[in-house]
């Protein structure tokens, strides 16, 4: 028998996971308490300093608070690798807040004197900026709200109001550390934070500019969304019911710019790379990992593959992704010192092939309008020869956001621009018109980029319509 949440009844009747050790004192607030941070930053912080307590905040949904609060913030992390599995308990999260339900509690947490760092994993769209220009989007409803209201909605609003409280209380600023997949994520965060602060109080913007720090980071670990069967599996191993475990691969990397305005855990002691400049790491990861992830997600979804591991087990996709690295991405990428890009590509292929990690193409396909610029278009902008695979990826994304798959079934497109993109596509008749109209969406494609892509993407899109994803790829993969 299954419960409402799709769990076997024997899972939920087990004793609940609870906190066994006293909660550490709070030193950090994390905005965006999804699976990724809990499987990456939280685990690594606990290793660096088990006394560095973190308050986790979900900005919108109360689900995480409801799952973790009865467990005192504790949860299990299940690592699934080629060499078996490891289950660990993570107890660094001291409390979980839902910002929608209690914005004041979040601001109070951020204004605690002991808080040194506010970290973020709020996804690309959480920065409320235009992906192509990186400027704060003043038309964003949450930003419009946050300008006028002291109790914010957006992560950026929380940062600004958190700083405001600290300024008013005469406390030092905290470091704001973005852990999202955006290039120069520290600069982006600083830019949108200062832009919003300026609109609220120019003196506050000056105070933030002088006192705060926004290090850039590169974060990496493949963490699929937790599914009901994962919860059942963890419960069976643990002998307890954990409502919010995380599943992750063995690999992890975290590169942080050495730019903090206060204290931090001893990150370097546990293998976190503290460097002067993160840029080369960010570009490598965004283009080589996330770029090919998105390519495999759109093309794989269209071809009927449910997960990344199933996708790369398909020989046409395997050839395609290897060619994408070797012929299109690596030639225009600068390697971080001491890193071999071909070795990095081989390691990625291994990671994608891990059959124990069921990472859905549909999950990665989300929010493409926010991901394409840094993952795909950045390489295209620097290309010196034709890039048929990246071009096909852009066409596949257009096909995907059209909302109907190759078998004629509807696609559940999740993207802040989904409605607008669908309307544009439905209104145009021919492939030329459809591609042309999408390439005119300036938040995603610059005019220059649109001009360069119009011909090749139209051809690739027509090919996808006529022959389907696998055949179109086979042509290129040879
Ligand atoms: C993925 C990333 O969902 C996505 O868009 O590409 O979450 C990816 O798994 C991580 O960045 C890996 O570090």
């Amino acid at each position: 028998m299954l419960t409402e949440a799709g769990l076997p009844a024997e899972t939920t009747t087990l004793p609940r996971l609870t906190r066994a050790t006293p909660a550490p004192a709070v030193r950090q607030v994390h905005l965006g308490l999804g699976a990724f941070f809990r499987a990456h930053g939280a685990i690594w912080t606990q290793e660096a300093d088990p006394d560095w307590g973190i308050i986790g905040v979900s900005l919108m949904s109360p689900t995480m608070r409801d799952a973790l609060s009865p467990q005192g913030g504790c949860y299990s992390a299940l690592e699934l690798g080629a060499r078996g599995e490891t289950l660990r308990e993570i107890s660094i999260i001291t409390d979980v807040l839902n910002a929608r339900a209690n914005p004041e509690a979040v601001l109070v947490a951020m204004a605690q004197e002991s808080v040194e760092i506010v970290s973020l994993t709020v996804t690309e769209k959480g920065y409320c900026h235009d992906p192509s220009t990186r400027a704060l989007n003043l038309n964003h409803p949450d930003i419009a709200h946050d300008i006028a209201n002291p109790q914010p909605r957006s992560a950026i609003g929380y940062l600004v109001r958190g700083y405001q409280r600290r300024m008013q209380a005469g406390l030092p600023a905290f470091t704001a550390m973005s852990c999202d997949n955006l290039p120069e994520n520290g600069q982006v965060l600083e830019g949108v934070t200062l832009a919003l602060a300026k609109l609220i109080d120019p003196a506050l913007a000056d105070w933030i500019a002088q006192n705060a720090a926004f290090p850039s980071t590169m974060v990496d670990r493949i963490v699929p969304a937790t599914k009901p069967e994962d919860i059942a599996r963890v419960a069976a191993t643990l002998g307890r019911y954990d409502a919010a475990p995380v599943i992750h691969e063995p690999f992890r990397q975290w590169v942080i710019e050495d730019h903090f305005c206060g204290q931090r855990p001893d990150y370097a002691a546990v293998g976190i790379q503290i460097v002067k400049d993160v840029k080369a790491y960010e570009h490598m990861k965004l283009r080589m990992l996330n770029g090919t992830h998105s390519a495999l997600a759109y093309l794989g979804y269209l071809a009927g593959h449910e997960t990344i591991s199933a996708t790369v087990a398909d020989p046409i996709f395997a050839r395609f992704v290897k060619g994408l690295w070797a012929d299109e991405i690596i030639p225009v990428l600068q390697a971080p010192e001491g890193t071999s890009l071909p070795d990095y590509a081989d390691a990625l292929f291994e990671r994608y092939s891990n059959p124990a990690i069921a990472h859905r193409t549909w999950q990665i396909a989300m929010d493409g309008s926010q991901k394409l610029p840094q993952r795909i278009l950045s390489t295209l902008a620097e290309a010196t020869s034709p890039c048929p695979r990246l071009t096909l990826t852009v066409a596949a994304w257009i096909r995907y956001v059209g909302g109907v798959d190759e078998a004629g079934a509807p696609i559940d497109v999740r993207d802040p621009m989904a409605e607008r993109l669908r309307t544009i596509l439905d209104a145009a008749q021919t492939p030329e018109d459809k591609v042309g109209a999408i390439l005119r969406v300036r938040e995603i494609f610059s005019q220059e980029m649109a001009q360069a892509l119009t011909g090749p993407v139209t051809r690739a899109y027509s090919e996808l319509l006529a022959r389907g994803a696998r055949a179109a790829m086979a042509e290129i993969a040879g």
Side-chain angles (χ1 to χ4, degrees):
M1 217 185 68
L2 295 181
T3 66
E4 225 175 277
L7 293 168
E10 61 266 29
T11 296
T12 51
T13 49
L14 285 169
R16 190 72 178 259
L17 176 72
T18 50
R19 175 172 283 283
T21 50
V26 176
R27 311 300 310 276
Q28 181 169 339
V29 173
H30 183 78
L31 304 179
L33 194 65
F36 181 77
F37 179 74
R38 293 190 302 121
H40 182 269
I43 296 182
W44 230 335
T45 303
Q46 176 165 316
E47 287 171 23
D49 185 350
D51 294 327
W52 191 273
I54 303 174
I55 293 183
V57 178
S58 296
L59 289 165
M60 277 165 315
S61 152
T63 313
M64 198 53 72
R65 179 201 61 193
D66 296 348
L68 285 180
S69 293
Q71 304 178 181
C74 297
Y75 59 94
S76 333
L78 179 63
E79 178 175 304
L80 297 177
R83 274 173 245 99
E85 56 178 75
T86 320
L87 189 67
R88 263 193 299 179
E89 190 181 317
I90 309 305
S91 50
I92 198 80
I93 309 278
T94 60
D95 199 3
V96 185
L97 303 172
N98 174 228
R100 275 288 145 92
N102 197 348
E104 181 59 24
V106 178
L107 294 171
V108 167
M110 294 169 84
Q112 279 183 58
E113 193 169 359
S114 63
V115 167
E116 299 281 350
I117 297 175
V118 174
S119 48
L120 298 88
T121 47
V122 293
T123 80
E124 297 84 349
K125 61 179 178 287
Y127 291 77
C128 306
H129 69 320
D130 283 341
S132 72
T133 63
R134 300 166 166 208
L136 182 68
N137 176 3
L138 298 179
N139 297 321
H140 193 296
D142 289 350
I143 294 301
H145 171 275
D146 290 356
I147 294 170
N149 294 281
Q151 299 216 316
R153 282 203 188 133
S154 70
I156 311 310
Y158 275 103
L159 278 185
V160 171
R161 296 293 178 179
Y163 280 131
Q164 188 173 42
R165 293 211 179 185
R166 295 183 79 102
M167 179 180 86
Q168 287 164 351
L171 292 173
F174 48 72
T175 297
M177 179 165 65
S178 165
C179 297
D180 280 294
N181 286 317
L182 290 167
E184 289 91 46
N185 54 11
Q187 280 171 35
V188 171
L189 184 59
E190 181 169 16
V192 291
T193 304
L194 291 178
L196 179 59
K198 223 170 258 163
L199 294 167
I200 291 172
D201 171 10
L204 172 61
D206 289 344
W207 185 86
I208 297 171
Q210 278 158 26
N211 295 283
F214 298 82
S216 279
T217 67
M218 181 270 248
V219 292
D220 189 9
R221 171 165 264 178
I222 292 176
V223 184
T226 304
K227 304 169 197 55
E229 55 265 36
D230 301 324
I231 298 179
R233 175 177 181 169
V234 167
T237 313
L238 199 65
R240 283 172 168 256
Y241 169 42
D242 175 351
V246 286
I247 310 295
H248 62 81
E249 63 168 344
F251 183 88
R252 61 179 180 177
Q253 189 173 12
W254 195 357
V255 189
I256 306 179
E257 183 188 355
D258 192 0
H259 179 45
F260 286 74
C261 58
Q263 292 178 37
R264 63 179 185 226
D266 191 355
Y267 292 131
V270 288
I272 296 164
Q273 293 160 264
I274 304 292
V275 302
K276 252 183 92 178
D277 191 352
V278 183
K279 204 165 162 176
Y281 294 94
E282 285 181 318
H283 285 199
M284 172 180 75
K285 195 259 171 172
L286 284 165
R287 295 181 188 188
M288 289 191 61
L289 192 159
N290 298 108
T292 57
H293 243 185
S294 290
L296 294 171
Y298 296 117
L299 288 158
Y301 186 97
L302 291 174
H305 288 307
E306 214 195 319
T307 63
I308 290 294
S309 62
T311 306
V312 294
D314 178 335
I316 289 183
F317 279 84
R319 269 204 306 277
F320 180 90
V321 73
K322 287 176 181 173
L324 180 47
W325 281 315
D327 298 346
E328 301 184 21
I329 301 176
I330 292 178
V332 289
L333 189 60
Q334 174 128 36
E337 224 184 280
T339 306
S340 147
L341 296 178
D343 289 355
Y344 186 77
D346 289 346
L348 287 180
F349 193 82
E350 283 282 303
R351 292 169 63 193
Y352 291 179
S353 303
N354 182 349
I357 297 289
H359 201 187
R360 294 177 68 191
T361 47
W362 176 80
Q363 188 190 342
I364 299 166
M366 276 184 210
D367 296 343
S369 66
Q370 314 293 302
K371 292 174 174 174
L372 240 46
Q374 61 275 17
R375 294 183 177 206
I376 305 291
L377 306 180
S378 56
T379 300
L380 281 166
E382 288 170 24
T384 48
S385 51
C387 291
R389 299 170 187 86
L390 290 172
T391 307
L392 187 65
T393 301
V394 177
W397 168 72
I398 298 177
R399 177 90 174 79
Y400 183 90
V401 296
V404 181
D405 75 11
E406 290 181 359
I411 303 174
D412 178 6
V413 178
R414 302 282 175 93
D415 191 301
M417 292 173 86
E419 220 178 285
R420 179 161 156 216
L421 297 169
R422 179 71 186 259
T423 308
I424 291 175
L425 285 168
D426 286 349
Q429 300 303 321
T430 63
E432 287 80 1
D433 291 347
K434 286 182 196 282
V435 169
I438 292 288
L439 293 179
R440 274 193 295 279
V441 177
R442 285 287 164 263
E443 292 93 325
I444 308 174
F445 302 96
S446 67
Q447 190 159 0
E448 218 185 328
M449 179 62 61
Q451 238 156 25
L453 289 182
T454 303
V457 173
T458 303
R459 280 190 292 280
Y461 181 77
S462 305
E463 183 80 1
L464 278 177
L465 290 182
R467 305 176 58 200
R470 289 186 91 245
M473 291 167 76
E475 183 109 320
I476 301 169

